[in-house]
Amino acid sequence: MPVIKIILLFAVANIFAQNDVIRSSATLKSAQTINNYRQPHLDIQLTSVAGTPYDECVITDCTFTECVSALYGGGLYTRVNNNKKITVNGTNTFKSCFASTGGGWHSIIFDGGKMLIQGYVTVTDCFSIQNSGDGGGGMLIGVTEAESLLTIEAEILFTNCRSSSSGGGMYLYGNVASLIEI
């Protein structure tokens, strides 16, 4: 399937005010800054949806500041499967975000999904508030099921992140059928 890159041209605030879910190929870039105090996070689900011919989403040079979610990923929530790929590159920042799990970013890679993290990621003053189970104050990444792959070729800096349960900076998990390369 082709990789089609779409640059989001509408105002960033509109993404969050409507709580849209991006379900196709997209490129977030050009130092987009997301300041979102009350609305849920940016939700990217690059999963098998009938009629969706896209394979990849690229996130480049984005800043998530003071974002909040009642559930997953205060700044960013991503899900990817079926040989589709999410690439995060450039310089991406999560600052003062919180959620139940994955205070800054919560990502699930499953059933053959792929994620590549390159460049620089800074996560500062983010926290998760889940009292038991998964945590990930700054970031939570889960890699499950056969042929799922997470590759980290980035410098990731966690500063002053905390969790009420597991992983103050990062909570990373996988199972025997998945692969995590760092």
Side-chain angles (χ1 to χ4, degrees):
M1 292 184 169
V3 174
I4 298 174
K5 309 272 186 179
I6 301 169
I7 297 175
L8 302 177
L9 298 176
F10 46 89
V12 173
N14 291 341
I15 296 171
F16 307 102
Q18 300 301 316
N19 191 27
D20 290 342
V21 176
I22 299 172
R23 293 186 186 273
S24 62
S25 179
T27 299
L28 299 176
K29 64 184 227 175
S30 301
Q32 294 189 27
T33 299
I34 292 92
N35 292 301
N36 186 12
Y37 298 98
R38 296 191 181 104
Q39 295 299 318
H41 52 266
L42 175 56
D43 187 338
I44 299 173
Q45 297 192 33
L46 196 61
T47 57
S48 292
V49 177
T52 303
Y54 307 111
D55 289 325
E56 185 173 11
C57 176
V58 179
I59 301 169
T60 303
D61 298 327
C62 290
T63 301
F64 299 86
T65 303
E66 297 180 354
C67 300
V68 176
S69 173
L71 294 174
Y72 311 119
L76 179 63
Y77 176 59
T78 57
R79 287 172 38 102
V80 60
N81 75 345
N82 287 346
N83 293 314
K84 296 181 184 297
K85 182 178 180 182
I86 294 177
T87 300
V88 178
N89 59 33
T91 300
N92 293 279
T93 303
F94 299 86
K95 183 169 175 49
S96 301
C97 298
F98 75 90
S100 181
T101 61
W105 177 13
H106 184 132
S107 185
I108 301 297
I109 305 157
F110 66 105
D111 196 21
K114 314 286 186 240
M115 178 175 284
L116 172 61
I117 304 173
Q118 297 177 310
Y120 301 93
V121 179
T122 58
V123 187
T124 306
D125 296 322
C126 293
F127 63 96
S128 65
I129 56 175
Q130 177 130 339
N131 289 324
S132 63
D134 298 344
M139 187 182 298
L140 183 149
I141 301 178
V143 187
T144 65
E145 301 174 18
E147 299 183 28
S148 300
L149 172 64
L150 167 64
T151 303
I152 299 176
E153 300 173 346
E155 290 184 32
I156 303 176
L157 175 64
F158 297 96
T159 304
N160 199 36
C161 296
R162 60 195 182 282
S163 172
S164 298
S165 58
S166 304
M170 175 186 240
Y171 182 66
L172 175 64
Y173 68 89
N175 66 20
V176 294
S178 62
L179 182 61
I180 300 171
E181 298 177 334
I182 299 177

